Amino acid sequence: MPRLGLRPWRRGDSPPTGSVPVTVVVLTRDEEVNVARCLDSVGWAEQAVVIDSGSSDKTVPIARSLGADVVDQPWLGFSAQRELALRLPEVRNDWIYFVDADEWVSPQLASEIATRLDATDCAAFAHRLRLVFLNTWIRHCGWYSGSWVVRLVDRRYAKYDGSPVGERASVDGPVGRLVNDIVDEDRKGLASWLHKHVRYAELEQRKRGLPVPLRERIRRFRCRDRTETRPLARVILKDLVFPAVPGRPLALFLYMYVVRLGLLDGRAGLRFCFFHAWFQVTVDGLQAETLLLSSHPHTR
């Protein structure tokens, strides 16, 4: 295990097993490599629900053997799947904590969640992702500092925004921030990571659609959902500035590797920044293909 200063929660740690009135929701498909570690690390929660979308491996039997409630639900998309989870009658708590199958929760984070929920006026909480890539914690590249994500929500005041990828919770109420991080450490390997990001690139291209003029981007920015939980600076950079940057893949690589010091993450940092530039190349290529086909509908 990389030097994270953390380990997964296990029985005997604080808070005690099943003591926190939270339902952990894990979305799965063929996650037998990761799911046991994930579910073991959330044993402090009163309930765990696995929403499986057609696993052909041992994901479901493993989840049931660890006491999770399993719901079989064909894949609806990232946002729609989470929105469905918020409304499931099987869910016994209003506080829902979304944990991905390749993530795990430390005792420090579990204890903080238990403490904050005891006395809070918040409708949701955000924390950062401590990403492990090629056995290395990616501390730089602008990734860790900007990795705030809302995962712990009171379902009475939350909904999901409908995005096919990069889904975000819209929260009607204050959003608190947790000090401790969740750890994202996929055991499936690099090939699986790359295949997954090709699928993400396809979804990202569909989300973006055809290139949008600056005036329209500004209009959308002004009309954005006020319950959005992304930091304002990130919205401006991603939605307004970055689409207008020439040579975006190269610009992204230089920004992550040089400006945001990805070089300090060693070889893993170099590859991480390169693959993010490659991701942008892939999205741009798919977008160019869509534009070509829309201009010449009979082109094959």
Side-chain angles (χ1 to χ4, degrees):
M1 181 178 292
R3 294 182 180 178
L4 295 170
L6 298 173
R7 62 163 176 82
W9 180 96
R10 56 190 178 217
R11 292 178 184 274
D13 289 335
S14 181
T17 301
S19 64
V20 183
V22 169
T23 293
V24 172
V25 172
V26 184
L27 308 183
T28 62
R29 182 175 181 181
D30 295 335
E31 289 287 353
E32 67 177 9
V33 175
N34 293 310
V35 71
R37 180 190 60 189
C38 172
L39 291 174
D40 282 341
S41 78
V42 298
W44 45 270
E46 191 271 329
Q47 182 187 24
V49 175
V50 168
I51 302 180
D52 188 77
S53 55
S55 290
S56 59
D57 63 4
K58 298 179 181 178
T59 298
V60 169
I62 291 171
R64 287 190 172 127
S65 73
L66 294 173
D69 298 319
V70 177
V71 175
D72 183 20
Q73 172 61 52
W75 186 245
L76 301 171
F78 289 102
S79 187
Q81 205 83 344
R82 293 187 190 273
E83 178 63 25
L84 176 140
L86 292 178
R87 316 304 164 198
L88 279 176
E90 291 88 347
V91 169
R92 298 196 294 265
N93 299 287
D94 286 327
W95 280 100
I96 311 294
Y97 186 30
F98 288 101
V99 179
D100 289 347
D102 58 2
E103 297 171 344
W104 52 263
V105 175
S106 67
Q108 294 92 327
L109 177 56
S111 294
E112 183 180 10
I113 289 173
T115 300
R116 294 291 296 272
L117 291 187
D118 273 346
T120 184
D121 58 356
C122 293
F125 289 94
H127 55 42
R128 287 187 292 192
L129 298 173
R130 194 173 293 207
L131 174 66
V132 177
F133 180 75
L134 299 180
N135 205 39
T136 301
W137 173 20
I138 302 297
R139 305 185 191 206
H140 304 95
C141 310
W143 183 262
Y144 176 65
S145 62
S147 67
W148 290 98
V149 60
V150 175
R151 291 283 195 81
L152 180 60
V153 300
D154 185 329
R155 63 174 174 165
R156 296 170 295 181
Y157 307 107
K159 63 180 181 179
Y160 274 84
D161 63 0
S163 299
V165 67
E167 71 283 0
R168 299 181 298 272
S170 297
V171 179
D172 185 14
V175 177
R177 284 192 168 187
L178 302 176
V179 173
N180 291 283
D181 311 325
I182 195 168
V183 177
D184 182 341
E185 186 181 10
D186 194 348
R187 290 171 164 172
K188 290 183 178 180
L190 181 59
S192 173
W193 190 91
L194 291 172
H195 283 298
K196 178 171 68 176
H197 280 76
V198 170
R199 295 194 298 273
Y200 287 172
E202 292 176 317
L203 292 172
E204 183 68 24
Q205 185 276 322
R206 292 175 195 168
K207 176 182 175 181
R208 294 184 189 180
L210 298 177
V212 176
L214 176 60
R215 180 176 296 180
E216 175 62 16
R217 296 202 303 273
I218 293 174
R219 186 195 69 79
R220 292 180 184 180
F221 171 75
R222 289 175 173 169
C223 299
R224 71 192 186 281
D225 188 345
R226 299 300 174 176
T227 63
E228 179 177 302
T229 53
R230 285 187 299 169
L232 180 60
R234 176 170 285 249
V235 175
I236 293 172
L237 283 172
K238 185 173 182 179
D239 297 352
L240 291 181
V241 178
F242 187 66
V245 173
R248 286 179 293 181
L250 178 59
L252 179 63
F253 175 82
L254 293 175
Y255 173 75
M256 294 179 68
Y257 191 66
V258 179
V259 178
R260 300 307 301 266
L261 300 178
L263 55 91
L264 297 181
D265 291 321
R267 289 185 179 180
L270 174 62
R271 292 186 174 116
F272 187 75
C273 295
F274 172 81
F275 286 135
H276 272 75
W278 163 80
F279 177 84
Q280 186 60 51
V281 169
T282 306
V283 173
D284 288 350
L286 292 169
Q287 197 169 45
E289 180 186 53
T290 301
L291 183 60
L292 176 64
L293 293 176
S294 67
S295 302
H296 303 86
H298 300 296
T299 300
R300 294 185 182 273

